[in-house]
């Protein structure tokens, strides 16, 4: 009669490991300025970027993601066979299908895990982390790889004065595992699709196919950005989103050790910091200075830099917030493994 479907056991989750891949090719502001009318001084002042890294031509997002995941799995003291889920956030996978996550899982020699990509641009890492947290908390998976990876140099018009200086390449991954106590807070997330064209990849694939009918003739799809609009949205909305994240975590600014926002622009980071009135004890991520804006990869890359430099210590609480194309945003508080 009333037969019940078996439910899942609730438990908590934690970030158990972290790993990154930074491309070896360092690109100076001077090199960028060979293609656009700009200057090292302007780029530093307006974005905080001193240099960025582009992946070599023969290095794909799969290669970068695999390298980051190997480190994250080792950092979590797990074996590839322990991983049963892979969620990969990117906007620079060159194949419409299959998902990059399945290719990464295969290269890592995983045991047929659930594997899928998500597209939430610069909010992608925090979106993927929210999903992994839900899967592990619901006992739907045991150890989930969360990957943010981008090769934006493939999708940037190096002659576009509005974007050429900002975007870059890299990969970061964490493992999300079961925990007896909550080590990842509830996620606060959302989007405003009415501003879908504030950052957009153009032309779309169909326009590209119908070359003769469109202005797309000969154009490779690249990211176009209404920089000021996105800047104003981020500075206007993200402080409140951060307050909501802290509320959801039951924490106040003074409880936080690390603030790790998406590395969009150092001026945006500073504006959010100011609005939140963090105490001086809170350390802020500034990885953008040497990594550029790597969209979905920027939060794990910035976390790793802070750990490398001894700024982030095991047990610290980090407030993460991602924001960008969509316009989409997401964030949570995590404990550093
Ligand atoms: O990661 C996903 C989310 N993305 C973001 O969060 C990015 C958000 N936007 C931004 O970070 C900033 O809008 C940019 C860094 C992209 C641009 O900085 P801005 O301060 O908003 O520049 P602007 O477009 O307001 O232009 C200011 C001035 C203008 O000159 P005038 O009219 O004041 O004389 C521009 O012509 O800077 C000029 N300008 C440049 N000068 C040198 C614009 N682009 C450049 C350039 N080099 N590349």
């Amino acid at each position: 009669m009333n037969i019940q479907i078996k439910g899942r056991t609730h438990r908590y989750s934690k970030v158990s490991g972290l790993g990154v891949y930074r491309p070896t090719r360092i690109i100076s502001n001077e090199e960028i300025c060979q293609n656009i009318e700009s200057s090292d001084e302007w780029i530093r002042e307006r974005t905080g970027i001193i240099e960025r890294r582009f992946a070599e031509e023969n290095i794909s997002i799969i290669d970068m993601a695999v390298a980051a995941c190997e480190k994250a799995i080792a950092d979590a003291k797990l074996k590839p066979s322990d991983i049963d889920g892979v969620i990969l956030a990117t906007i620079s996978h060159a194949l419409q299908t299959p998902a990059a996550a399945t290719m990464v899982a295969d290269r890592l020699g995983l045991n047929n895990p659930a594997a899928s990509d998500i597209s939430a641009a610069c909010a992608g890492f925090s979106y993927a982390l929210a999903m992994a947290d839900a899967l592990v908390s619901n006992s739907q998976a045991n150890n989930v790889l969360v990957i943010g990876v981008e090769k934006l140099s493939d999708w940037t018009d190096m002659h576009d004065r509005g974007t050429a200086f900002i975007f870059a390449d890299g990969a970061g991954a964490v493992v999300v595992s079961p925990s007896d106590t909550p080590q990842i807070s509830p996620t606060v997330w959302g989007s405003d699709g009415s501003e879908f064209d504030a950052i957009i990849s153009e032309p779309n694939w169909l326009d590209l196919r119908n070359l003769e009918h469109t202005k797309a003739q000969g154009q490779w799809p690249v990211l176009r950005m209404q920089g000021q609009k996105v800047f104003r949205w981020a500075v206007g909305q993200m402080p409140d989103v951060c307050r909501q994240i802290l509320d959801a975590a039951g924490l106040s600014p003074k409880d936080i050790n690390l603030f790790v926002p998406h590395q969009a622009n150092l001026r945006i980071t500073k504006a959010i910091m100011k609005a939140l009135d963090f105490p001086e004890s809170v350390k802020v991520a500034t990885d953008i200075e040497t990594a550029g804006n790597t969209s979905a990869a920027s939060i794990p890359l910035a976390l790793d830099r802070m750990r490398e430099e001894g700024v982030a210590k095991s047990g610290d609480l980090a407030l993460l917030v991602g924001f960008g194309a969509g316009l989409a945003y997401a964030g949570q508080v995590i404990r550093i493994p």
Side-chain angles (χ1 to χ4, degrees), residues 248-259:
L251 300 169
S252 70
K254 70 171 175 22
D255 300 320
I256 294 295
N257 306 105
L258 311 164
F259 177 48

Side-chain angles (χ1 to χ4, degrees), residues 22-33:
R22 290 181 194 273
T24 48
R25 237 173 95 211
I26 296 173
I27 309 291
S28 66
N29 287 340
E30 283 82 5
E31 197 171 336
I32 294 293
C33 293

Side-chain angles (χ1 to χ4, degrees), residues 36-39 42 46-47 122 161-162 165-167 199 225 227-228 230-231 262 264-265 267-268 293 323-325:
I36 55 169
E37 199 196 316
S38 189
S39 66
W42 189 93
R46 292 288 176 153
T47 66
C122 308
R161 202 164 173 249
F165 57 88
I166 199 161
F167 294 127
I199 309 177
M225 178 166 72
Q228 267 197 22
V230 182
F231 188 98
H262 162 49
N265 181 326
R267 281 159 58 219
I268 295 179
N293 177 335
F323 50 88

